Amino acid sequence: MSVTEMTRAVRGSNSATQQMMLEAAAATRLLESEGILDYSGHVSTRIPERDAFVIQIGSTSRAEVTPESMLVVDYDGKVLEGDGQPPSELPIHLEILRARPDVQSVLHSHMELAIAFTMMEGVKLLPMRARASRWKSGIPTDPDPSHIKLPEQGRALARTLGPHHAVLMRAHGLCLVAESLRALFVDAVHFKENATAQMQALQAGAKPLPLTEAEIAQIEKMEMRDWHIKKLWNYYVRKALDEEVLPQPWKDALVPSREMLTRE
Ligand SMILES: [Zn+2]
């Protein structure tokens, strides 16, 4: 079945909505394949020029989501398109997307490594690896360890996140935010790498040496974020197509063109 045929099943959706449904399905499968999502966790992404966003049906396996597993939800939490219920922690997405107009996409994950950094006295998750300069402003921890099912919990979480790009949730998980779904996926890969690096330093019994301000300034001088996101998205999508994590008919809509993969 072609992408067009698949997405045609989602009646009433315009092409931007269809593309975001496909991208959200692909990003969810990639995140599950990389051990960032498992039986739970979710991504949301705004639909361009629509007062709504895409999020998956809460009960669908993260390894098997398709564009048809996606819902279109408005910023009051009302399901506009799709047949199913959003995740019970929908207020995470609603309140962060409301509070942060600069953010296009939100990830919520129960990544074990990240949770460990909310459970160690005197230890904070810090930017260790070069790509973690993304989180130079800080990675705050929200104190609420329960599931975020109420609007006031979501608002409190959004306040803890503040202007940052990541927030840990005490004994529960994390949220990442980014300017696009593809950027969010790449950030999630680097977030896990960075937490792994710090944990390895701690497990070696050493005092972790996070990036200094001067080192971060030097890294940012050399940074090509847009290019880097295209390159990694291309790598992970192609790998997932080869390994049948992503269905072949999705290829054309997901793999960047040769022009897009030319560095400026
Ligand atoms: Zn959760």
Side-chain angles (χ1 to χ4, degrees):
M1 190 161 56
S2 74
V3 171
T4 316
E5 284 163 345
M6 265 189 296
T7 48
R8 199 175 288 147
V10 188
R11 283 191 298 274
S13 293
N14 64 22
S15 61
T17 304
Q18 290 175 3
Q19 177 69 20
M20 293 333 289
M21 283 174 158
L22 182 71
E23 293 220 4
T28 302
R29 287 191 187 210
L30 291 176
L31 289 163
E32 194 278 334
S33 168
E34 294 306 314
I36 293 161
L37 294 180
D38 46 33
Y39 49 83
S40 62
H42 15 84
V43 293
S44 61
T45 193
R46 295 186 199 272
I47 303 166
E49 303 186 6
R50 241 186 120 171
D51 210 15
F53 63 93
V54 165
I55 192 163
Q56 73 169 102
I57 294 167
S59 57
T60 314
S61 163
R62 280 65 181 154
E64 295 176 352
V65 291
T66 63
E68 293 83 355
S69 326
M70 293 293 154
L71 304 171
V72 176
V73 179
D74 73 12
Y75 293 101
D76 293 321
K78 189 173 162 223
V79 176
L80 303 178
E81 290 178 31
D83 186 16
Q85 290 178 309
S88 60
E89 293 192 292
L90 182 67
I92 292 175
H93 300 269
L94 279 174
E95 299 303 335
I96 291 178
L97 289 170
R98 271 193 189 142
R100 289 284 299 273
D102 59 312
V103 162
Q104 295 301 311
S105 304
V106 178
L107 164 69
H108 172 53
S109 149
H110 299 158
M111 187 195 295
E112 287 177 19
L113 256 176
I115 295 171
F117 282 91
T118 71
M119 304 193 288
M120 290 187 279
E121 195 176 353
V123 175
K124 280 184 67 119
L125 182 57
L126 298 165
M128 304 289 293
R129 290 186 50 155
R131 289 284 165 198
S133 60
R134 166 79 174 154
W135 300 288
K136 67 176 178 178
S137 68
I139 306 170
T141 300
D142 192 67
D144 183 349
S146 64
H147 277 88
I148 306 298
K149 294 181 177 173
L150 303 173
E152 53 266 37
Q153 289 177 292
R155 284 195 287 275
L157 176 65
R159 277 197 300 276
T160 305
L161 171 68
H164 307 292
H165 304 307
V167 60
L168 298 180
M169 301 155 80
R170 161 82 178 144
H172 173 175
L174 72 111
C175 292
L176 298 181
V177 299
E179 71 275 28
S180 71
L181 199 45
R182 296 179 182 198
L184 186 73
F185 169 72
V186 173
D187 281 353
V189 168
H190 292 318
F191 195 89
K192 189 177 173 194
E193 288 169 349
N194 185 66
T196 304
Q198 187 170 344
M199 189 61 86
Q200 285 169 338
L202 290 167
Q203 285 172 337
K207 182 173 178 239
L209 288 179
L211 295 170
T212 65
E213 274 184 37
E215 286 170 337
I216 289 173
Q218 173 63 17
I219 289 163
E220 290 189 335
K221 241 192 273 177
M222 299 297 157
E223 175 70 345
M224 296 186 291
R225 180 168 168 84
D226 290 350
W227 160 248
H228 182 74
I229 289 161
K230 283 178 205 164
K231 182 182 134 187
L232 266 70
W233 178 261
N234 183 56
Y235 167 77
Y236 281 101
V237 166
R238 285 178 175 278
K239 182 157 92 79
L241 287 163
D242 282 349
E243 294 169 355
E244 299 182 356
V245 168
L246 297 180
Q248 284 297 328
W250 297 11
K251 183 176 179 182
D252 290 349
L254 295 175
V255 173
S257 65
R258 186 183 282 267
E259 294 75 52
M260 278 180 76
L261 286 169
T262 303
R263 240 187 1 248
E264 280 152 28

